[in-house]
Amino acid sequence: MAYRESFYRFLMTQRNPGSADDIAQFANNAQHDSSFPKQEEDYEKLSDYLELNAGYLPSMSVFDKAYQLYLNNMN
C-alpha cells in the first residue's frame, strides 16, 4: 500500500489566515489544537476526536468536505 500523509499534514496545506473559507478556517484553528491527532488518517477516529474536542469547528460538514479533499488529493 502506498504511503499516505496524515490528514493533519494535508489540512495544514489548506491554511490561509486571511481567508473566510471554512476549510481554511478549520486548518487555521486545527494548527493551534495541541491535542489534534496529527498522525491519523482514519475518518472515524478523526471524526470522533473532532466531535468531542473541536469547539472551533462550526459544523462537522466542514470536516467532511476537508476529508473528501484529502482523499481526492491522495489518489
Side-chain angles (χ1 to χ4, degrees), residues 47-71:
S47 182
D48 289 348
Y49 171 81
L50 291 167
E51 285 180 14
L52 296 171
N53 301 288
Y56 54 81
L57 192 60
S59 163
M60 285 304 288
S61 66
V62 176
F63 165 64
D64 291 339
K65 280 198 299 188
Y67 196 83
Q68 191 57 55
L69 267 178
Y70 165 67
L71 291 179

Side-chain angles (χ1 to χ4, degrees), residues 2-74:
Y3 169 77
R4 281 172 46 170
E5 71 178 339
S6 71
F7 175 73
Y8 181 82
R9 283 190 58 153
F10 167 74
L11 188 61
M12 291 303 100
T13 69
Q14 305 300 305
R15 286 175 302 174
N16 183 347
S19 175
D21 178 74
D22 50 3
I23 292 175
Q25 290 293 313
F26 173 27
N28 297 340
N29 290 320
Q31 181 183 19
H32 301 292
D33 179 352
S34 60
S35 59
F36 195 99
K38 294 179 174 64
Q39 304 308 316
E40 194 55 66
E41 300 170 18
D42 183 73
Y43 176 87
E44 293 300 327
K45 290 177 182 164
L46 287 159
S47 182
D48 289 348
Y49 171 81
L50 291 167
E51 285 180 14
L52 296 171
N53 301 288
Y56 54 81
L57 192 60
S59 163
M60 285 304 288
S61 66
V62 176
F63 165 64
D64 291 339
K65 280 198 299 188
Y67 196 83
Q68 191 57 55
L69 267 178
Y70 165 67
L71 291 179
N72 294 347
N73 202 56
M74 293 300 105

